[in-house]
Amino acid sequence: MSDTGTQPEQLYAAREPVFPRKVSGRFRNLKWVIMVVTLGIYYLTPWIRWDRGPNLPDQAVLVDLANRRFFFFWIEIWPHEFYFVAGLLIMAGLGLFLFTSALGRVWCGYTCPQTVWTDLFILVERWIEGDRNARLRLHRQKKMDARKLRLRVTKYVVWTLIAIATGGAWVFYFTDAPTLLGDLFTLNAHAAAYTSIAILTFTTLVFGGFMREQVCIYMCPWPRIQAAMMDPDTITVGYRDWRGEPRGKHRKSAEAEAGELGDCIDCMACVNVCPMGIDIRDGQQLECITCALCIDACDDIMDKIGKPRGLIGYLALSDETREREGETPRSAWSHVFRVRTMLYTFLWSAVGVGLVVALFVRPDISATVHPVRQPVYVTMSDGTIRNTYDFGLRNKHGDDRRFRVTLVSDHLELRLAVEGTPYESFMVPADTTGKQRVYVLAPAGSEAAMADRSEIRFWIEDLSNGERVYKDSTFVGTGDN
């Protein structure tokens, strides 16, 4: 209990915005390259054209919800082939487990969309408002004068334009991009397009511009899962406290001269460049996304004071004892290639190989046969017993194809008739699923007509190239035997 009259303890602390300082180095350069490549792929991919013929869309990557298909360059995925999408999701999960087990949260630090867009928004903020100290002064300035208003408005306008481009690029994946762009500007696009762009614009602006590290800390589940994926052999960003402690600011102090201080001069460079606003010297933390910017900052300081690099670096906890004793740590490859990571690699590769094999062995035609059992059979005026079957035939080719249906059965008296034509063939338009009703008839008094059930097989042949598929079914008779 607190004393009477004293203020209650505050359990909530308002968020302090994080203003990372500009840093240069190999990891920062790597992040720039990844940001340019990933953003380029995202924004430009819908505009890549791919000629599939007159009856198919010319967009290389397209999620065609209206026709329930997915196009990826020369690959076309139909609804019944959703196992390809499931397989890709499994590969993505296994890949995430693999990289986390080997290199920690490398996905979060380099390629996560939240990280990439936050980097872009921070870059814009730095261009407009200045580096860390300038942004801090502007943030702490209480008075909204003309300069602060101009800088803030400019920043928010550029952020909003980026967010709109992000939402717009997303909807381009679901319809023809050039056509949709024209419809958007002429206000002829569907309301769903405008709604999707508005939602994605809002979320991109809020997540990348304002929430930033809070998305990673409070909204993303991966920081809480990563502990199960990592072990002492995982290579991650860490501070070599046995080398840096005790830290001290003054390198020419008596303690420094006596060799009582470590290499860390407590300059806070590693903290000032961290987009999460944490101190890596406090050890492994949930907030750390292993972006390695603290490594670049610390290496730069070590160069300036004449100390060897690596005070902060990628390391494995299993090497800590060896490094403390001055021994050489194990090679990175020995940490990466171990039983756990090799198992993930095997599973990931097995799923990938399975998908590739399934992609190349899948037929260009596929059929479904559904017996009509209401009624089970029909007795014609001449006593003939007739069964009805509904065919669904997918023609995955880019041109119209004619298909012939033939019947195979132990009862040679059974004959087949295709509705609407005197022939045993029918046309299916290009890249569609054709519907056709087919009848199987047994003459009155025949063995098949009087039997309870008879096994039959339908063969469907593409008359253009001879490709064939078959479907088994049953013929129902009167059961008078």
Side-chain angles (χ1 to χ4, degrees):
M1 295 292 292
S2 59
D3 296 336
T4 303
T6 61
Q7 293 292 330
E9 181 182 1
Q10 293 293 326
L11 300 180
Y12 170 78
R15 170 182 177 256
E16 281 293 328
V18 178
F19 299 102
R21 181 175 65 82
K22 181 180 179 181
V23 64
S24 60
R26 51 179 176 166
F27 294 108
R28 177 65 268 183
N29 292 337
L30 176 61
K31 283 174 65 66
W32 288 136
V33 171
I34 293 176
M35 186 182 79
V36 171
V37 170
T38 52
L39 290 177
I41 292 173
Y42 175 76
Y43 287 119
L44 299 179
T45 296
W47 301 95
I48 301 175
R49 302 292 92 189
W50 191 268
D51 185 12
R52 295 190 178 87
N55 299 310
L56 292 175
D58 292 330
Q59 190 158 309
V61 179
L62 177 65
V63 182
D64 190 356
L65 294 179
N67 296 303
R68 298 181 299 172
R69 279 170 296 175
F70 170 60
F71 298 95
F72 184 82
F73 293 91
W74 65 90
I75 300 172
E76 180 181 352
I77 304 298
W78 289 63
H80 68 287
E81 297 172 326
F82 186 78
Y83 55 85
F84 284 110
V85 179
L88 291 175
L89 293 176
I90 293 173
M91 289 186 67
L94 290 173
L96 190 58
F97 295 164
L98 169 62
F99 283 108
T100 302
S101 177
L103 300 171
R105 292 178 64 185
V106 64
W107 159 262
C108 300
Y110 294 91
T111 53
C112 174
Q114 174 64 20
T115 298
V116 173
W117 263 273
T118 297
D119 265 359
L120 179 59
F121 276 54
I122 291 176
L123 178 63
V124 170
E125 184 178 70
R126 185 180 295 123
W127 279 347
I128 296 173
E129 297 182 350
D131 205 359
R132 170 182 165 81
N133 292 337
R135 302 203 305 277
L136 275 173
R137 288 193 299 268
L138 194 67
H139 171 70
R140 293 167 181 171
Q141 177 184 323
K142 301 301 182 182
K143 181 182 178 181
M144 180 62 74
D145 57 13
R147 177 180 176 274
K148 183 173 182 178
L149 179 62
R150 174 176 56 82
L151 293 177
R152 287 294 165 85
V153 170
T154 304
K155 178 178 70 173
Y156 294 152
V157 167
V158 177
W159 280 0
T160 303
L161 292 176
I162 294 174
I164 292 174
T166 301
W170 178 256
V171 298
F172 290 150
Y173 282 90
F174 295 87
T175 189
D176 183 66
T179 303
L180 178 59
L181 182 63
D183 290 342
L184 288 172
F185 280 103
T186 58
L187 302 182
N188 292 321
H190 194 279
Y194 294 107
T195 303
S196 300
I197 293 174
I199 293 174
L200 288 170
T201 297
F202 175 77
T203 53
T204 303
L205 182 62
V206 172
F207 292 169
F210 297 99
M211 295 186 66
R212 294 183 180 175
E213 79 284 350
Q214 291 181 302
V215 175
C216 303
I217 298 173
Y218 301 112
M219 297 176 62
C220 180
W222 189 239
R224 288 133 184 100
I225 301 174
Q226 65 169 335
M229 298 291 104
M230 298 172 64
D231 56 39
D233 279 319
T234 299
I235 300 176
T236 188
V237 175
Y239 168 65
R240 293 178 169 87
D241 61 325
W242 55 90
R243 175 184 152 186
E245 300 298 325
R247 67 187 75 158
K249 288 184 176 296
H250 304 291
R251 305 309 303 167
K252 295 183 180 180
S253 62
E255 292 86 352
E257 295 293 339
E260 297 176 1
L261 293 180
D263 288 349
C264 179
I265 62 173
D266 203 20
C267 63
M268 301 295 289
C270 56
V271 179
N272 292 338
V273 302
C274 179
M276 306 301 292
I278 64 172
D279 190 341
I280 191 63
R281 297 171 298 179
D282 294 336
Q284 296 295 310
Q285 299 161 67
L286 176 146
E287 297 89 342
C288 180
I289 60 173
T290 67
C291 64
L293 296 183
C294 53
I295 299 178
D296 285 337
C298 186
D299 284 348
D300 182 57
I301 296 298
M302 292 297 104
D303 291 342
K304 291 179 179 178
I305 66 174
K307 295 291 183 178
R309 293 185 167 201
L311 180 59
I312 300 175
Y314 274 102
L315 57 92
L317 296 180
S318 60
D319 282 334
E320 179 180 350
T321 303
R322 299 171 59 90
E323 290 197 26
R324 283 183 182 275
E325 296 175 354
E327 299 179 12
T328 303
R330 293 161 54 198
S331 67
W333 294 113
S334 65
H335 292 290
V336 172
F337 293 102
R338 57 187 195 276
V339 175
R340 185 175 187 173
T341 57
M342 295 301 289
L343 176 61
Y344 286 142
T345 303
F346 172 77
L347 294 175
W348 185 87
S349 302
V351 176
V353 170
L355 291 179
V356 172
V357 172
L359 184 65
F360 282 98
V361 302
R362 62 176 181 166
D364 288 327
I365 59 173
S366 60
T368 59
V369 177
H370 299 288
V372 177
R373 297 311 187 201
Q374 293 293 334
V376 176
Y377 62 85
V378 174
T379 303
M380 311 295 289
S381 59
D382 62 353
T384 299
I385 303 300
R386 188 183 75 181
N387 282 202
T388 305
Y389 302 85
D390 284 336
F391 275 57
L393 184 60
R394 296 186 183 93
N395 174 18
K396 300 180 183 179
H397 295 280
D399 54 350
D400 299 348
R401 295 292 178 98
R402 180 168 290 277
F403 295 88
R404 181 172 59 196
V405 182
T406 54
L407 177 67
V408 176
S409 173
D410 292 337
H411 302 289
L412 300 180
E413 68 272 16
L414 289 176
R415 59 187 179 88
L416 180 144
V418 178
E419 186 179 67
T421 175
Y423 307 103
E424 295 181 347
S425 64
F426 55 92
M427 187 72 71
V428 178
D431 210 58
T432 59
T433 299
K435 303 293 184 181
Q436 181 65 51
R437 177 156 288 190
V438 174
Y439 303 107
V440 176
L441 304 100
S446 64
E447 182 179 354
M450 300 176 62
D452 183 27
R453 290 179 181 273
S454 303
E455 300 297 325
I456 59 176
R457 171 172 291 181
F458 295 102
W459 279 96
I460 301 99
E461 180 183 1
D462 184 347
L463 296 180
S464 299
N465 59 13
E467 185 177 4
R468 305 174 72 199
V469 296
Y470 68 86
K471 289 294 178 181
D472 291 325
S473 190
T474 58
F475 178 86
V476 180
T478 61
D480 292 338
N481 283 344

